[in-house]
Amino acid sequence: AVVSDDYYFVNNSQWNLNETEGINIPLAWDITTGSREIRVGVLDTGIANHPDLNANLGEGMDFNHNYITTDDDYGHGSKVAGIIGAVGNNTIGVAGINWHITLVPLQVGYYDNDNNFVIPTVSITRAINWASDLWGTDQQIDLINMSYSNFGKNSAVLQSVQEYQGLFVWSAGNKGENVDEFGNIDSYNLDNLISVGAIDKSNARSVWDSTQSSNYGSNVDVFAPGGKGFAANDNIPT
């Protein structure tokens, strides 16, 4: 099997990728480690300049107030980008699912003048619509990842996803809610939409703290490793 020599993969900090607690990514790497021809929109807080990301970074857009997408003060977008496409086998940092990919920052989250973190819905819909307008060009964004909540609740975002021609991956949310109880949840059953919940090392629903845990329900399409949990062979929460 193909393995990575990236630091955090070697020391098993990336338990989400291993064969016992994670997705057993070396089996996929045996088939492919990705392609720069695939363009993934990271709809998030931007993607910072980083040696693990720069080689796979494409030109994106800030949908709030400037054209800079590397000013990721929050850090969430850069972490998501690392999971999707950190450069693999370069001995530093983490190993991405794809060692070769084009990461397109679609920056929507930012700190306002009162230091509150905000994610305007209008910025999200503008980003998705911008990606739709690029479809069929050499800048086509093949899929978009949005690791924000309000799956099943945000009808404005849903409308933009319905009009987007690519695949849209949407976090199921982390409020511990049963999405099947949302009033309009059937409208979110789209052919191009995958909702993703989180499981921990023990394959239990992820719990982050006393108020936050992964949303759940039959309308969550897939659960992926993420969040705190105890491994079967240790007592160290990660």
Side-chain angles (χ1 to χ4, degrees):
V2 174
V3 295
S4 167
D5 65 4
D6 293 276
Y7 177 78
Y8 289 107
F9 183 84
V10 171
N11 72 12
N12 203 35
S13 293
Q14 291 186 267
W15 62 268
N16 55 306
L17 300 187
N18 70 29
E19 64 180 80
T20 55
E21 300 148 347
I23 63 174
N24 199 3
I25 191 61
L27 290 182
W29 286 340
D30 275 347
I31 301 170
T32 180
T33 55
S35 169
R36 289 276 293 168
E37 294 181 1
I38 303 299
R39 294 170 53 82
V40 178
V42 183
L43 204 161
D44 217 291
T45 59
I47 301 176
N49 285 319
H50 191 282
D52 240 4
L53 300 172
N54 289 343
N56 287 339
L57 190 59
E59 184 177 354
M61 180 71 74
D62 183 329
F63 294 90
N64 293 307
H65 50 265
N66 63 42
Y67 291 94
I68 302 171
T69 58
T70 56
D71 54 346
D72 181 14
D73 297 329
Y74 194 81
H76 189 271
S78 300
K79 293 177 182 177
V80 170
I83 294 170
I84 297 170
V87 176
N89 232 31
N90 63 348
T91 70
I92 63 171
V94 300
I97 299 293
N98 303 278
W99 298 357
H100 313 284
I101 200 79
T102 297
L103 301 165
V104 182
L106 308 176
Q107 189 172 21
V108 295
Y110 68 100
Y111 285 102
D112 64 16
N113 292 333
D114 296 320
N115 207 37
N116 298 311
F117 185 73
V118 293
I119 312 168
T121 291
V122 65
S123 298
I124 294 174
T125 57
R126 284 179 61 206
I128 301 171
N129 295 342
W130 185 73
S132 291
D133 290 341
L134 291 175
W135 196 264
T137 74
D138 60 359
Q139 298 298 303
Q140 175 175 304
I141 297 173
D142 303 288
L143 61 149
I144 294 174
N145 180 89
M146 186 174 78
S147 296
Y148 289 147
S149 301
N150 288 327
F151 167 74
K153 293 184 176 181
N154 195 316
S155 58
V157 172
L158 175 64
Q159 181 176 347
S160 291
V161 174
Q162 289 172 326
E163 297 171 356
Y164 172 58
Q165 302 93 322
L167 178 64
F168 194 89
V169 181
W170 193 344
S171 166
N174 59 1
K175 295 184 179 180
E177 297 176 314
N178 183 350
V179 302
D180 296 341
E181 297 176 353
F182 297 167
N184 196 34
I185 192 63
D186 289 344
S187 299
Y188 290 76
N189 185 18
L190 304 176
D191 290 341
N192 70 328
L193 172 57
I194 297 176
S195 57
V196 184
I199 53 175
D200 61 22
K201 285 184 174 183
S202 301
N203 290 326
R205 185 166 60 89
S206 290
V207 176
W208 288 277
D209 54 40
S210 60
T211 62
Q212 290 188 312
S213 60
S214 176
N215 285 2
Y216 60 96
S218 62
N219 284 282
V220 178
D221 296 308
V222 64
F223 284 81
K228 295 180 179 178
F230 292 92
N233 58 353
D234 66 34
N235 291 313
I236 304 173
T238 59

